[in-house]
């Protein structure tokens, strides 16, 4: 009797739901890696145009009504559309085709146009064809017609003339455009956290935003870029990207170097994160700048600040004055673990953002907003 009671069934259902939620939360970032895709090859074909109609008007007491076949409808386009809600190219399929146009009908009725097919892609998606960039979808709502639909055919009404009063000819619809495109995602953020593995980038992003990247004591904890949003009291929002850790030789594609470096290109300013507890922490900064310069000249010289992390350790307090003597950039010492001196970083981050906004507006361009 207990097994058949509604209360027992409800309890079992709730228990199963709780187990599913715990399993979902337990998925590690290493398991989630397969869901993050930053490049995709896709074949797109526009819809075929509808054929023209072939008919003659017919009604009582009107024997020679003349041709009245309407034109066919145009095929639908395939359109790529940037959507801020999309964070990966994993949902993009390898093939898309626009809807076909309908055939022209009698009584000069035109066929309906084929519907457009919209493919949502993340903001920051590059569209390449034969190695050349054909579109850069860097703003929310931006669209790019990846494949045009074919034009509809002409009905026999179109060919009516004084010389030909009863045309029987009509044309089929044209095929849609066919292309093979390569989509490449480059994370769009205002600031990029750049550092070697275990420098504390993920912990820092957790401390200043609501992002929850994986944090552990082994290298390459972060396998995918994470974007956290820093909120200010005046409702301004600054996007900070946690770029996966670089290694020496990253510009030569050692490890996953090029896959990591390409996400730094879109960052407007850089936050170099160095581990103050290691000997000679300024060497880390030199190596990071070298990797960025080898990848793209001038990349390391963007507006920047050096963050000395792990100031809560005794070795870090010894190395901090030595680091400030060796580097020309401003050094902000903090602890992502304990939260010491995070306020200075947040104030300076806002200064970098305000400078970026003023610069973009002076150029007549719209700054990226989140």
């Amino acid at each position: 009797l207990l097994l058949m009671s509604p209360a027992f069934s409800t309890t079992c259902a709730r228990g199963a739901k709780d187990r599913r939620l715990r399993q979902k939360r337990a998925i590690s970032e290493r398991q989630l890696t397969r869901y993050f895709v930053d490049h995709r090859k896709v074949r797109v074909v526009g819809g075929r145009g509808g054929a023209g109609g072939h008919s003659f008007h017919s009604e009582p007491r009107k024997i020679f009504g003349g041709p009245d076949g309407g034109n066919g409808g145009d095929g639908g386009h395939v359109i790529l559309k940037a959507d801020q809600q999309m964070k990966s190219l994993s949902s993009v399929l390898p093939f898309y085709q626009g809807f076909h146009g309908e055939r022209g009908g009698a009584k000069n009725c035109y066929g309906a146009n084929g519907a457009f097919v919209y493919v949502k892609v993340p903001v920051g998606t590059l569209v390449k064809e034969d190695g050349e960039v054909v579109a850069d979808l860097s703003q929310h709502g931006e669209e790019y017609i990846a494949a045009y639909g074919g034009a509809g055919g002409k009905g026999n009404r179109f060919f009516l003339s004084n010389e030909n009063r009863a045309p029987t000819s009509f044309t089929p619809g044209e095929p849609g455009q066919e292309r093979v495109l390569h989509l490449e995602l480059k994370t769009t953020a205002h600031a990029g956290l750049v550092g070697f593995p275990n420098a504390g980038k993920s912990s820092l992003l957790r401390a200043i935003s609501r992002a929850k990247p994986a944090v552990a004591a082994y290298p390459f904890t972060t396998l995918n870029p994470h974007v956290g949003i820093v909120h200010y009291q005046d409702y301004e929002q600054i996007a900070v990207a946690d770029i996966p850790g670089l290694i020496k030789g990253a510009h030569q594609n050692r490890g996953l170097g090029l896959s990591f470096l390409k996400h730094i290109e879109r960052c407007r300013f850089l936050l170099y994160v160095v581990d103050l507890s290691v000997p000679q922490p300024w060497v880390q900064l030199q190596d990071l700048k070298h990797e960025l310069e080898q990848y793209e000249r001038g990349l390391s010289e963007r507006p920047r600040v050096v963050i000395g992390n792990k100031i809560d350790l005794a070795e870090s307090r010894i190395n901090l004055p030595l680091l400030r003597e060796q580097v020309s950039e401003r050094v902000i010492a903090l602890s992502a673990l304990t939260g010491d001196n995070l306020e200075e970083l947040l104030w300076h981050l806002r200064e970098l953002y305000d400078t970026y906004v003023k610069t973009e507006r002076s150029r007549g361009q719209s700054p990226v907003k989140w």
Side-chain angles (χ1 to χ4, degrees):
L1 292 175
L2 178 62
L3 293 176
M4 298 299 292
S5 66
F8 182 81
S9 301
T10 304
T11 304
C12 291
R14 289 177 179 174
K17 183 177 180 181
D18 292 341
R19 284 195 297 273
R20 288 195 298 269
L21 290 175
R22 285 196 297 270
Q23 290 173 357
K24 185 176 181 180
R25 286 194 294 265
I27 296 178
S28 67
E29 185 176 351
R30 188 177 296 276
Q31 292 171 305
L32 285 172
T33 302
R34 67 180 183 273
Y35 299 114
F36 180 84
V37 178
D38 57 4
H39 62 276
R40 182 74 85 188
K41 179 181 178 182
V42 58
R43 177 169 161 257
V44 290
V45 181
R48 175 182 289 275
H54 174 262
S55 64
F56 288 88
H57 185 72
S58 177
E59 62 178 277
R61 296 185 298 277
K62 199 169 185 180
I63 304 175
F64 302 105
D68 66 351
N71 297 338
D74 296 334
H77 306 326
V78 178
I79 301 176
L80 303 179
K81 185 173 183 177
D83 190 332
Q84 199 167 347
Q85 300 298 321
M86 304 293 292
K87 302 302 179 185
S88 169
L89 294 172
S90 59
S91 61
V92 177
L93 302 177
F95 176 73
Y96 289 95
Q97 182 170 28
F99 290 93
H100 301 315
E102 294 185 1
R103 184 185 184 92
K107 299 182 181 179
N108 297 320
C109 291
Y110 281 33
N113 294 333
F116 295 167
V117 173
Y118 285 90
V119 182
K120 292 183 179 181
V121 297
V123 174
T125 299
L126 283 179
V127 184
K128 295 183 178 181
E129 185 177 24
D130 298 328
E132 296 185 2
V133 177
V134 295
D136 184 355
L137 304 177
S138 58
Q139 299 287 339
H140 175 70
E142 207 170 353
E143 296 181 0
Y144 172 70
I145 301 178
Y148 285 92
K154 303 299 183 183
N156 63 336
R157 169 74 180 181
F158 177 82
F159 298 99
L160 177 65
S161 65
N162 291 330
E163 292 76 19
N164 187 1
R165 305 301 298 175
T168 59
S169 58
F170 61 95
T171 59
E174 296 182 1
Q177 184 184 18
E178 181 174 352
R179 302 170 73 186
V180 176
L181 302 174
H182 293 266
L183 307 183
E184 181 178 321
L185 173 61
K186 294 184 178 180
T187 303
T188 300
H190 298 119
L193 295 172
V194 184
F196 288 114
N198 279 8
K201 301 183 303 299
S202 297
S203 299
L204 182 58
L205 187 66
R206 278 173 168 259
I208 63 177
S209 73
R210 296 179 181 177
K212 301 298 180 185
V215 176
Y218 52 85
F220 297 109
T221 305
T222 303
L223 302 175
N224 302 313
H226 288 269
V227 178
I229 308 299
V230 181
H231 299 267
Y232 289 86
Q233 291 183 350
D234 59 352
Y235 303 105
E236 283 287 359
Q237 301 182 60
I238 301 179
V240 181
D242 174 18
I243 309 298
L246 302 176
I247 63 173
K248 290 185 179 180
H251 68 278
Q252 298 172 343
N253 206 23
R254 290 181 181 175
L256 294 175
L258 296 183
S259 299
F260 293 172
L261 283 166
K262 68 182 179 182
H263 291 285
I264 304 177
E265 290 183 70
R266 295 296 179 90
C267 297
R268 273 61 180 182
F269 37 91
L270 305 177
L271 309 178
Y272 290 105
V273 183
V274 297
D275 186 351
L276 284 176
S277 64
V278 301
Q280 298 181 336
W282 54 88
V283 176
Q284 294 184 35
L285 182 61
Q286 296 170 359
D287 292 339
L288 288 171
K289 287 185 174 182
H290 175 73
E291 295 300 329
L292 266 61
E293 281 298 314
Q294 293 299 314
Y295 177 73
E296 179 183 328
R297 185 177 299 275
L299 183 58
S300 68
E301 297 302 318
R302 290 185 181 179
R304 59 202 176 277
V305 65
V306 178
I307 300 173
N309 194 20
K310 305 182 182 180
I311 192 60
D312 53 305
L313 302 178
E315 301 89 344
S316 302
R317 300 189 188 96
I318 299 174
N319 291 330
L320 177 59
L322 301 176
L323 174 64
R324 284 175 169 159
E325 291 178 1
Q326 294 289 333
V327 302
S328 58
E329 292 87 358
R330 177 176 178 176
V331 178
I332 298 177
L334 53 80
S335 172
L337 180 63
T338 63
D340 292 344
N341 206 29
L342 287 178
E343 294 81 4
E344 183 180 356
L345 171 61
L346 295 175
W347 279 112
H348 188 66
L349 185 63
R350 181 58 187 268
E351 292 175 3
L352 291 172
Y353 174 76
D354 290 341
T355 303
Y356 155 71
V357 171
K358 291 179 181 178
T359 303
E360 290 296 301
R361 288 175 177 170
S362 65
R363 296 174 180 174
Q365 299 178 355
S366 300
V368 174
K369 293 283 188 177
W370 278 75

